Amino acid sequence: MYQSTERIYSLHFILLCLSNALFSASFNMMIPELPAYLTRMGGADYKGYIIGLFTLMAGLSRPFSGKLTDTIGRVPVMIFGSLVCVICSLMYPIISSVGAFLLLRFFHGFSTGFKPTGTSAYVSDMVPVTRRGEAMGMVGLFSTIGMAMGPAIGGFVAVRWNINIMFQLSAVFALLSVVILIGMKETLVNKQRFRFSLLKISGNEIFEPLVWSPVIITFLTYFSYGAILTVIPDFSAFLGISNKGLFYTFFTASSIGIRLLAGKVSDRYGRVPVLKISAVLMAGSMLMMGLAGSSTLLMAAAVLYGISVGLNAPAVTAWTVDLGRPEHRGRALASMYIAMEAGIGLGAYFSAFIYNNQSVNFPLTFYVIAGITLMATLYLSFVYRPQQASVR
């Protein structure tokens, strides 16, 4: 593996961050508008599938992205993920049935099944272990900027023009991400040429057993994100908030403010202490959402949630790389991302099931998700035992 000196903020690193921001903005800009879009098609009862199908495909594709990241290289995997966003975004205006919409959402999940795996492995190759958390925090910061920009831009464009223009703009953002990646230097030294036999996945290539603990924490903490993506648009409308992307702007803005600091803290004091604190804050934000009776309290909960995610994401990603073997870095990261997609997907499904399009069920939905999130802190406090020397 190629690894740089202590200097991490190179031109390649900055370009990678910019590509990440564009990619994140591309698929996030449509999320607040999709529930109403699907409802107009007659698919109000399928709102939970908007995120669920997307994350299902992302999870199913992770073993392939992990193997290809470790064989053909990080850059081709990143490019493929961004290209999927380009194609799918251009197809949304063409479809006109609920079934076609759900099928497209399913295939759109290939994008996040590939791009983040390649990106995290690329960053891990570039930076020294002593600054791994900081680097992950910076890359995540740009992803969060895209996450903040996306819904706000998407909501503005959909209201000012129409939703089809929003889909086309999403494709433009993803294409710009690809343009940046084309010139990136590959960091996998012993890369192979692509061949179809690489798509054959054996049982031991699906999961990296050394990263069980990060996988469990990722699964439990990302339940909340699935619930937020599914329920918050309707909850915002219930509270009289016209811009359904406003919640995401507040939460991502607060996440931006904490990510770089969080990465440095996990490098110095350890991943586990940071993850314990983040899970407690995340559960607290869910409780605040359940109690929210005004837009002000909901935005305050969004800020707290953003802080918790900003603490969690770089720490758990760096911890995964710490524990995994260098030659199977893509597989280790893919294992973590499978858990992420499973958490988001199940969080979306169960929150939609509990909510059931009944406003009276909003508090219960958030309280249940808070309980699931708090289990991450309980696991780290009473179950987890270090199995090997690593960055803690």
Side-chain angles (χ1 to χ4, degrees):
M1 301 292 175
Y2 164 80
Q3 193 171 86
S4 73
T5 63
E6 289 293 316
R7 179 173 174 266
I8 66 174
Y9 299 116
S10 63
L11 177 61
H12 270 73
F13 185 83
I14 294 170
L15 288 174
L16 182 69
C17 289
L18 180 58
S19 173
N20 241 29
L22 291 166
F23 172 76
S24 179
S26 171
F27 72 89
N28 275 291
M29 73 169 57
M30 63 181 68
I31 288 175
E33 300 299 325
L34 289 182
Y37 186 69
L38 181 58
T39 298
R40 289 195 294 272
M41 283 186 181
D45 294 336
Y46 299 95
K47 290 177 184 176
Y49 291 92
I50 292 174
I51 303 301
L53 288 172
F54 185 92
T55 54
L56 175 61
M57 174 54 84
L60 291 174
S61 65
R62 294 290 185 188
F64 299 95
S65 68
K67 183 175 182 178
L68 293 175
T69 295
D70 289 335
T71 51
I72 70 171
R74 316 334 191 174
V75 175
V77 169
M78 290 190 286
I79 289 175
F80 177 78
S82 293
L83 281 176
V84 170
C85 271
V86 175
I87 296 169
C88 289
S89 295
L90 292 175
M91 291 184 66
Y92 279 102
I94 301 174
I95 61 174
S96 57
S97 69
V98 173
F101 174 90
L102 296 176
L103 185 62
L104 183 57
R105 283 301 292 170
F106 183 64
F107 284 107
H108 201 164
F110 265 116
S111 61
T112 56
F114 274 71
K115 178 69 162 62
T117 305
T119 298
S120 296
Y122 194 99
V123 173
S124 300
D125 295 343
M126 291 179 67
V127 303
V129 64
T130 54
R131 300 186 70 181
R132 185 175 287 158
E134 179 184 353
M136 293 296 182
M138 178 59 76
V139 172
L141 184 150
F142 275 80
S143 294
T144 307
I145 290 174
M147 193 182 298
M149 289 168 39
I153 294 172
F156 173 79
V157 171
V159 172
R160 179 66 178 80
W161 289 281
N162 60 63
I163 198 166
N164 288 342
I165 299 296
M166 183 199 71
F167 288 135
Q168 292 164 7
L169 184 62
S170 172
V172 170
F173 274 54
L175 184 60
L176 290 173
S177 175
V178 173
V179 171
I180 292 173
L181 292 170
I182 288 174
M184 298 291 288
K185 176 184 178 182
E186 178 58 58
T187 58
L188 181 64
V189 177
N190 298 315
K191 63 180 181 178
Q192 306 174 28
R193 293 179 63 87
F194 174 79
R195 57 187 187 277
F196 284 101
S197 61
L198 291 174
L199 298 178
K200 182 179 180 181
I201 304 293
S202 60
N204 65 348
E205 292 175 318
I206 295 175
F207 184 80
E208 175 56 63
L210 295 177
V211 298
W212 260 115
S213 291
V215 162
I216 291 171
I217 298 306
T218 300
F219 175 76
L220 292 173
T221 53
Y222 274 86
F223 237 81
S224 62
Y225 193 55
I228 281 174
L229 292 176
T230 303
V231 178
I232 286 297
D234 282 4
F235 191 41
S236 296
F238 174 73
L239 293 178
I241 303 171
S242 57
N243 187 343
K244 289 171 285 189
L246 193 60
F247 176 95
Y248 303 98
T249 300
F250 271 81
F251 120 65
T252 49
S254 64
S255 180
I256 288 170
I258 197 69
R259 276 184 182 267
L260 185 56
L261 175 62
K264 289 181 177 179
V265 170
S266 77
D267 284 336
R268 182 170 182 179
Y269 297 105
R271 320 303 187 196
V272 172
V274 172
L275 290 171
K276 286 181 182 178
I277 294 170
S278 70
V280 170
L281 294 177
M282 194 176 292
S285 69
M286 293 292 108
L287 292 175
M288 285 181 64
M289 291 176 208
L291 295 170
S294 67
S295 59
T296 301
L297 188 55
L298 181 60
M299 293 309 119
V303 170
L304 183 60
Y305 184 74
I307 292 172
S308 69
V309 171
L311 288 168
N312 177 281
V316 78
T317 306
W319 195 27
T320 300
V321 177
D322 294 342
L323 297 177
R325 289 170 287 191
E327 67 272 22
H328 293 153
R329 188 163 285 169
R331 183 191 303 176
L333 289 163
S335 300
M336 183 204 73
Y337 283 121
I338 288 172
M340 180 184 295
E341 306 300 349
I344 294 173
L346 288 174
Y349 177 80
F350 283 111
S351 62
F353 176 79
I354 298 170
Y355 163 45
N356 195 30
N357 291 313
Q358 302 294 321
S359 59
V360 70
N361 293 329
F362 281 129
L364 178 61
T365 303
F366 293 120
Y367 295 155
V368 170
I369 300 301
I372 293 172
T373 303
L374 197 57
M375 291 172 62
T377 295
L378 297 177
Y379 171 84
L380 291 173
S381 298
F382 302 108
V383 179
Y384 167 72
R385 294 291 182 273
Q387 299 298 313
Q388 66 181 74
S390 65
V391 178
R392 294 196 192 15

